[in-house]
């Protein structure tokens, strides 16, 4: 916990997994913050571009990601993706075989829908990967640069980025 740049407390609680014999976490334990990135990065970037009139909830995803084609995909809107009703599967282990942002976005765009858009809700990592591509195309900047220059300063948030990093 910090306030005005001063660390007030450093506490680590819990274990690395839910297993009883899992190692305890420490203040140096590293975490995968992908789920936080979605709401602390992608969502405010989308909101900014919507406020500017660049993006609209009813835009077709294929307008911004032209390679998003296939059965049923023409009906998928940004709203569907944002509320996890796009029809995309929850997850694909792209990290096992793919390297680089472009390859991951292409693989996500090429993934078949599992159900019709709007038919049900299913949390999808693939949708967030595609929203990152939407933000980057609509803004003309990488997501990290847009956040550092246009989004976080407006929110009074100081953030450090490795700008231009191609890794996901």
């Amino acid at each position: 916990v910090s306030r005005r740049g001063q660390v007030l407390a450093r506490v680590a609680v819990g274990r690395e997994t839910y297993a009883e014999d899992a190692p305890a976490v420490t203040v140096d334990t590293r975490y995968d913050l992908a789920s936080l990135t979605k709401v602390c990065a992608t969502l405010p970037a989308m909101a900014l571009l919507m406020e500017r009139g660049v993006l609209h909830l009813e835009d077709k995803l294929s307008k911004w990601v032209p390679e998003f084609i296939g059965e049923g995909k023409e009906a998928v809107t940004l709203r569907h993706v944002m509320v996890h009703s796009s029809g995309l599967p929850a997850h694909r282990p792209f990290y096992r075989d793919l390297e680089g942002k472009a390859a991951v976005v292409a693989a996500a765009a090429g993934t078949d829908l599992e159900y019709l858009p709007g038919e049900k809700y299913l949390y999808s990592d693939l949708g967030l990967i595609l929203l990152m591509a939407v933000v980057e195309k609509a803004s003309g900047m990488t997501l990290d640069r847009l956040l550092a220059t246009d989004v976080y300063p407006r929110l009074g948030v100081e953030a450090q980025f490795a700008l231009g990093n191609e890794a996901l």
Side-chain angles (χ1 to χ4, degrees), residues 18-78:
Y18 293 112
E20 286 185 31
D21 60 343
V25 298
T26 70
V27 294
D28 295 316
T29 300
R30 293 183 178 254
Y31 292 89
D32 174 1
L33 299 179
S35 292
L36 283 177
T37 301
K38 294 167 188 172
V39 295
C40 296
T42 308
L43 179 62
M46 294 284 295
L48 175 71
L49 294 171
M50 287 179 188
E51 177 184 86
R52 291 180 175 171
V54 178
L55 296 177
H56 304 278
L57 287 173
E58 301 314 317
D59 284 352
K60 302 295 185 191
L61 179 57
S62 59
K63 171 183 178 180
W64 298 102
V65 184
E67 59 272 32
F68 187 75
I69 53 174
E71 189 173 336
K73 290 182 173 181
E74 68 284 347
V76 177
T77 64
L78 297 183

Side-chain angles (χ1 to χ4, degrees), residues 16-156:
E16 290 183 8
T17 69
Y18 293 112
E20 286 185 31
D21 60 343
V25 298
T26 70
V27 294
D28 295 316
T29 300
R30 293 183 178 254
Y31 292 89
D32 174 1
L33 299 179
S35 292
L36 283 177
T37 301
K38 294 167 188 172
V39 295
C40 296
T42 308
L43 179 62
M46 294 284 295
L48 175 71
L49 294 171
M50 287 179 188
E51 177 184 86
R52 291 180 175 171
V54 178
L55 296 177
H56 304 278
L57 287 173
E58 301 314 317
D59 284 352
K60 302 295 185 191
L61 179 57
S62 59
K63 171 183 178 180
W64 298 102
V65 184
E67 59 272 32
F68 187 75
I69 53 174
E71 189 173 336
K73 290 182 173 181
E74 68 284 347
V76 177
T77 64
L78 297 183
R79 180 187 306 272
H80 287 127
V81 179
M82 291 184 75
V83 301
H84 300 286
S85 68
S86 66
L88 287 164
H91 174 74
R92 290 290 186 264
F94 296 139
Y95 63 90
R96 289 184 187 158
D97 302 315
L98 302 176
E99 198 170 311
K101 185 190 309 183
V104 173
V105 169
T111 301
D112 291 336
L113 299 183
E114 291 188 345
Y115 57 92
L116 294 175
E119 189 175 273
K120 70 177 188 175
Y121 296 95
L122 177 69
Y123 184 88
S124 174
D125 290 340
L126 279 65
L128 272 296
I129 291 167
L130 294 170
L131 287 179
M132 175 205 59
V134 168
V135 166
E136 291 186 348
K137 184 156 188 182
S139 69
M141 291 186 240
T142 60
L143 178 60
D144 56 351
R145 186 163 302 281
L146 178 67
L147 292 167
T149 60
D150 292 10
V151 176
Y152 290 154
R154 291 180 64 181
L155 300 173

